[in-house]
Amino acid sequence: MKKIFSFITILLFSAVLAVAVSPAVDISPGYLFAGFSAGSIISSIAIPSMVLGVNSFDLTKAVSDNPGGCSQEWYWCFWDEVLTFPSLPPLDAVGDVNTKALLTGSFAMKTGKQFYKGYGTLDTVTVEDESVGPYDSKSWKNIFKCDHPGVKQLLAGWLRTVQNRSLVIIAKDGSGVMRVVGNELYGANLADVKASTGAKVDDGNKASITFESYSKCPAPIYTGTVSFTPAV
């Protein structure tokens, strides 16, 4: 209905303008009406995408499926072993607003380097986003959390290995969308670990792990590949 009303408004405005301008330029009102109408319609379509860089700012409910949580399997690699990072589009680039947090390209690893798989206990794997910074300097903190069972040899050794190194972490949300924590400027760094064998038999024997990074947006969406074989 809004589009029909806008179209009618353009036609009425073009008709009035054509009648008003015709005597001054000695051109038939019909020709002027056709020209004004066509130009106005084209401008109404093209200007928002060319000037604003987006087709629409309407924030609508697009789908009804919206499950929470993340997959128990997640992926990680060492930040300094990434050769090329996927990138976010420039904020002023032409394109829909729903592409502004979508990464372009895939992770390319240095020779002999790769991604690895991680495991998190059901209902503990999560990606969280916090807006940080003062007015006019806003950015985002991207946070990955999970619990891993059994503070045994493998987990203890892994935590020692990563505690002072930056990572890149990819987690799939409940819809299967991959979210990335860590980018070319800021790796995902170990922020907190609480590990316990538990005091009682019915306590959890686990480590609760948190990694944090910073980004221009909530943890961006990744549609590229994740390679678990060494790069050549």
Side-chain angles (χ1 to χ4, degrees):
M1 183 62 71
K2 289 182 178 180
K3 291 183 178 180
I4 294 175
F5 180 76
S6 299
F7 182 71
I8 294 173
T9 301
I10 289 173
L11 294 180
L12 290 175
F13 175 78
S14 298
V16 172
L17 187 60
V19 171
V21 173
S22 178
V25 297
D26 195 25
I27 298 176
S28 169
Y31 288 119
L32 291 174
F33 171 73
F36 290 148
S37 299
S40 298
I41 292 172
I42 292 172
S43 297
S44 68
I45 296 172
I47 287 176
S49 61
M50 291 189 299
V51 177
L52 299 178
V54 296
N55 292 331
S56 174
F57 274 114
D58 292 336
L59 188 63
T60 58
K61 182 179 179 181
V63 295
S64 58
D65 289 336
N66 187 33
C70 287
S71 170
Q72 290 177 261
E73 183 178 84
W74 47 277
Y75 316 126
W76 68 277
C77 72
F78 289 110
W79 177 83
D80 56 5
E81 293 181 352
V82 177
L83 178 64
T84 305
F85 286 82
S87 60
L88 289 169
L91 192 58
D92 58 353
V94 174
D96 290 335
V97 69
N98 62 7
T99 67
K100 300 305 180 184
L102 179 65
L103 292 169
T104 300
S106 294
F107 285 96
M109 305 301 295
K110 295 178 181 178
T111 301
K113 308 305 179 183
Q114 66 184 79
F115 271 87
Y116 301 91
K117 297 178 181 180
Y119 172 83
T121 300
L122 182 64
D123 293 339
T124 69
V125 185
T126 180
V127 174
E128 301 176 1
D129 300 298
E130 296 179 4
S131 176
V132 297
Y135 294 124
D136 295 329
S137 293
K138 290 291 184 182
S139 59
W140 291 84
K141 179 187 288 186
N142 308 140
I143 305 166
F144 171 81
K145 295 180 179 180
C146 78
D147 286 357
H148 189 92
V151 189
K152 296 182 173 65
Q153 184 174 337
L154 178 61
L155 178 60
W158 184 81
L159 288 171
R160 182 187 179 191
T161 301
V162 303
Q163 64 184 349
N164 291 314
R165 292 188 68 178
S166 297
L167 307 183
V168 173
I169 295 175
I170 302 175
K172 286 186 179 180
D173 68 17
S175 297
V177 176
M178 292 190 288
R179 304 281 302 279
V180 179
V181 178
N183 53 74
E184 66 272 21
L185 293 179
Y186 304 103
N189 295 295
L190 187 64
D192 186 52
V193 178
K194 291 183 174 62
S196 175
T197 60
K200 303 187 295 292
V201 172
D202 57 355
D203 285 341
N205 183 351
K206 63 179 183 177
S208 298
I209 304 167
T210 301
F211 283 86
E212 296 180 350
S213 182
Y214 293 95
S215 178
K216 300 174 183 177
C217 62
I221 295 168
Y222 181 59
T223 58
T225 58
V226 181
S227 177
F228 303 109
T229 58
V232 295

